Amino acid sequence: MAAAVADATIAELVVAAQAGSHAAFTTLYGRFHRAVHAVALARVGPADAADVVQDVFARAWTRLDSVRDPAAFAGWLMTMARNRAIDRARSRAPDDAGARELAVAPAPTAEAAAALRAIRALPEAYRETLLMRLVEGLSGPEIAARTGLTPASVRVNLHRGMTLLRERLAPPESTGGTP
C-alpha cells in the first residue's frame, strides 16, 4: 500500500485523502510542504513561514472535501498558502518583523537576510519561483508540478528573477574617482 501511495498521481492522492487516507495526505504533504514554505517565505519571516505551513496543511486536511477537481489541488493549496501568509503578514506589527526573522535556528547570516529582502522586493511570480529553487531546492519541473505553471513559464520566471536579483545584489558601481 505504501508503495502505491508513493507512486500515485496528485489527483489519486487527493481522492484517497478525501476518502480518509492519512498515508495519502502525508504523501501530499511530502510533495508540497517545500512549495508552501517558499510561498509563505515570500511574504513573512522564517519563523512565521513555518507556522503558515503548519496552518495551511491543518486547514487543507479539514477542507479537503471542498476540492472538486483533484487535479486542481496544487492551485488550491498554493492559493490557500498565499492567503494565510498575507493574513499572517497583516497581523504582525511592523516593529515585530525584525525580531521574528531572527527567531529561527540557526539565525540567518547577514548575506542571507539581505538576499531574502532582495527577493521579497521582486515581483510575486519571481519571488515564489526563486524561493522554491534557491531556498527549497526544487527543480524547474518540480516547481511546475507544485504550482500549476508550465515548465516554460517556470524557466522564464527563474531566468528573469535571477537577472533582477543579480542587479539588486550587485555592488554599486564606482564613480570613477580614485579612493
Side-chain angles (χ1 to χ4, degrees):
M1 175 68 178
V5 169
D7 294 335
T9 66
I10 292 169
E12 292 168 337
L13 290 169
V14 171
V15 170
Q18 286 174 325
S21 171
H22 290 272
F25 190 77
T26 299
T27 303
L28 286 169
Y29 173 85
R31 291 189 187 177
F32 284 94
H33 78 277
R34 293 184 302 166
V36 170
H37 186 262
V39 166
L41 195 57
R43 292 161 181 82
V44 298
D48 285 330
D51 291 344
V52 168
V53 172
Q54 182 177 0
D55 185 41
V56 166
F57 281 98
R59 285 173 181 256
W61 175 251
T62 62
R63 297 179 181 173
L64 203 52
D65 288 339
S66 70
V67 178
R68 291 186 197 124
D69 178 6
F73 176 78
W76 177 80
L77 188 68
M78 293 301 112
T79 298
M80 185 186 304
R82 285 182 195 100
N83 291 338
R84 295 306 303 148
I86 289 167
D87 290 346
R88 178 62 68 112
R90 287 179 183 154
S91 72
R92 293 283 176 217
D95 59 340
D96 188 31
R100 294 273 309 160
E101 292 209 11
L102 296 176
V104 293
T109 64
E111 293 84 8
L116 185 56
R117 280 191 303 276
I119 290 171
R120 283 191 187 143
L122 298 175
E124 183 175 321
Y126 305 149
R127 272 190 310 225
E128 291 182 2
T129 53
L130 281 177
L131 287 168
M132 286 181 202
R133 180 72 185 113
L134 299 175
V135 175
E136 301 300 334
L138 297 175
S139 68
E142 288 172 324
I143 294 168
R146 285 359 173 240
T147 61
L149 294 171
T150 65
S153 293
V154 170
R155 278 192 303 275
V156 168
N157 288 349
L158 287 172
H159 176 75
R160 290 179 181 167
M162 283 300 293
T163 300
L164 286 172
L165 184 59
R166 282 186 194 104
E167 289 171 6
R168 292 182 186 205
L169 292 176
E173 297 272 337
S174 160
T175 59
T178 56

